[in-house]
Amino acid sequence: DALASDIARGKEIFTGNCAGCHGGGMNFVKEQKTLQKDALEKYVGLDESSVQKFFRESGQHKKLVFFKMPQGKLGDDDVVDVSSFIIDQAVNEKW
């Protein structure tokens, strides 16, 4: 199942690169803007394309270096997979 493998890959990327600030669906930089369902719905949108757009346009995320990724950045496929993981976690209240 392609979707499951995308979510699984997204989880792996998230765990290695995003969990430092967003562990357990939290946000340790901007506390109110978590990855929980209600906060995503309010601040970003509760769909993958909204999460992807937010990540790509976020000044905070543009400045980050993801040390475990090639060239220190998340590629387009990486962003898609991580977004799938985040939405799956939030919508199904798995955090």
Side-chain angles (χ1 to χ4, degrees):
D1 180 32
L3 183 60
S5 64
D6 291 347
I7 291 172
R9 183 172 179 275
K11 178 180 181 178
E12 183 179 314
I13 295 167
F14 181 92
T15 300
N17 296 278
C18 312
C21 293
H22 297 288
M26 302 308 290
N27 186 331
F28 302 118
V29 179
K30 296 182 179 177
E31 292 179 15
Q32 74 278 17
K33 295 186 177 182
T34 70
L35 301 179
Q36 306 292 327
K37 183 178 179 180
D38 292 345
L40 275 178
E41 205 164 28
K42 180 176 180 179
Y43 297 110
V44 177
L46 206 52
D47 60 272
E48 293 173 25
S49 61
S50 295
V51 172
Q52 292 165 26
K53 181 178 184 212
F54 177 83
F55 177 83
R56 288 186 178 110
E57 294 178 0
S58 162
Q60 185 72 33
H61 292 103
K62 285 181 183 180
K63 292 184 279 186
L64 294 176
V65 175
F66 298 97
F67 292 103
K68 296 184 179 185
M69 301 305 292
Q71 292 83 46
K73 296 294 176 192
L74 298 183
D76 288 339
D77 289 346
D78 303 326
V79 173
V80 168
D81 292 347
V82 170
S83 298
S84 295
F85 169 70
I86 290 169
I87 292 298
D88 181 64
Q89 292 291 109
V91 169
N92 296 303
E93 299 183 359
K94 295 179 181 180
W95 292 118

